[in-house]
Amino acid sequence: AQTVTQSQPEMSVQEAETVTLSCTYDTSENNYYLFWYKQPPSRQMILVIRQEAYKQQNATENRFSVNFQKAAKSFSLKISDSQLGDTAMYFCAFKSGGGADGLTFGKGTHLIIQP
Amino acid sequence: EPEVTQTPSHQVTQMGQEVILRCVPISNHLYFYWYRQILGQKVEFLVSFYNNEISEKSEIFDDQFSVERPDGSNFTLKIRSTKLEDSAMYFCASSEIATGGQPQHFGDGTRLSIL
């Protein structure tokens, strides 16, 4: 079974700063996908970024990028030029490569962007 | 942008009663999922559904739970004989396909409170 660990329950940074959220996972599989989801106070979980395990290149989406270290089983999220609207819970999630398995989530990091 | 919609947003039920949570997945999606999040804990996978049958289920998804696609648009989660520990947020999600790292799109969730 897979496990996902987010070791930072809460983080707070000033607006415009860069922040990195950590995520580690454990799996014996070689084909899998990793995701970061954002859950603002409005509750709906929104996909931020995803990474295919077979790709060495780190995924990037505008101000969001990941540092994927497959050997270390680490998948951190970097948010550059943070904005007030980035305040949310951030969940790291793992999915096996095949089948309709559900996502395995970490406990989440509550990110607060201070004005 | 198409969304997954869930109703009701909050459901209060007496212990021992049956409850049905409803979801309308995104129209061209083929895979449907239910997750739950007990307050302060991780989001946990319950079940996935494809082609009118369960694809995968977790150990949480026991005989107390059932899922159904009663018509062409709704996807329901039924909890029979509810217990206090069933109190949680329940999220529905859908995806176009299950493989290839296709992201799951989540609804706003239904907060279920068992009294």
Side-chain angles (χ1 to χ4, degrees):
Chain A
Q2 295 77 225
T3 59
V4 176
T5 302
Q6 292 179 251
S7 59
Q8 304 149 314
E10 187 170 285
M11 295 187 72
S12 180
V13 299
Q14 296 293 122
E15 193 176 7
E17 289 183 348
T18 293
V19 60
T20 298
L21 310 183
S22 66
C23 172
T24 59
Y25 59 94
D26 190 24
T27 183
S28 58
E29 298 182 25
N30 198 44
N31 180 29
Y32 53 88
Y33 300 87
L34 296 163
F35 304 85
W36 278 97
Y37 279 87
K38 168 185 177 181
Q39 187 182 36
S42 64
R43 299 185 303 175
Q44 186 176 54
M45 272 197 284
I46 304 162
L47 178 69
V48 175
I49 200 165
R50 65 177 166 176
Q51 175 80 42
E52 294 90 342
Y54 61 84
K55 286 188 177 179
Q56 291 188 336
Q57 187 173 8
N58 290 324
T60 299
E61 286 286 340
N62 300 314
R63 297 183 295 109
F64 299 87
S65 61
V66 298
N67 183 5
F68 174 48
Q69 301 288 327
K70 190 172 183 178
K73 295 188 171 68
S74 170
F75 182 61
S76 61
L77 174 70
K78 185 171 86 170
I79 306 174
S80 303
D81 186 27
S82 57
Q83 301 173 358
L84 296 179
D86 295 334
T87 293
M89 284 292 293
Y90 286 81
F91 294 98
C92 178
F94 172 102
K95 187 183 180 304
S96 294
D101 293 0
L103 298 169
T104 300
F105 284 90
K107 289 194 77 169
T109 296
H110 184 206
L111 177 64
I112 300 167
I113 309 299
Q114 305 275 9
Chain B
E1 188 173 326
E3 290 185 342
V4 175
T5 57
Q6 291 186 243
T7 54
S9 57
H10 190 190
Q11 174 80 44
V12 181
T13 301
Q14 291 289 328
M15 186 172 61
Q17 297 294 306
E18 175 182 284
V19 66
I20 297 176
L21 309 183
R22 291 183 167 79
C23 169
V24 179
I26 294 173
S27 61
N28 65 331
H29 285 187
L30 301 178
Y31 287 83
F32 316 123
Y33 309 82
W34 282 103
Y35 293 83
R36 79 170 184 193
Q37 184 180 28
I38 296 171
L39 186 64
Q41 298 187 23
K42 296 184 181 188
V43 177
E44 300 171 292
F45 168 69
L46 293 177
V47 66
S48 61
F49 191 86
Y50 169 73
N51 199 26
N52 281 320
E53 59 183 32
I54 291 173
S55 293
E56 302 281 347
K57 61 181 182 179
S58 72
E59 56 192 27
I60 302 169
F61 193 87
D62 59 21
D63 292 343
Q64 186 194 7
F65 295 91
S66 62
V67 289
E68 192 179 29
R69 188 152 163 85
D71 53 43
S73 59
N74 288 284
F75 176 53
T76 62
L77 174 69
K78 181 189 291 185
I79 309 175
R80 287 180 283 274
S81 188
T82 50
K83 299 175 281 195
L84 293 176
E85 52 264 39
D86 294 327
S87 294
M89 281 291 291
Y90 288 81
F91 292 101
C92 174
S94 69
S95 63
E96 287 185 62
I97 58 175
T99 56
Q102 194 67 216
Q104 296 174 20
H105 298 260
F106 285 79
D108 280 353
T110 293
R111 180 173 299 283
L112 178 63
S113 299
I114 307 299
L115 304 179

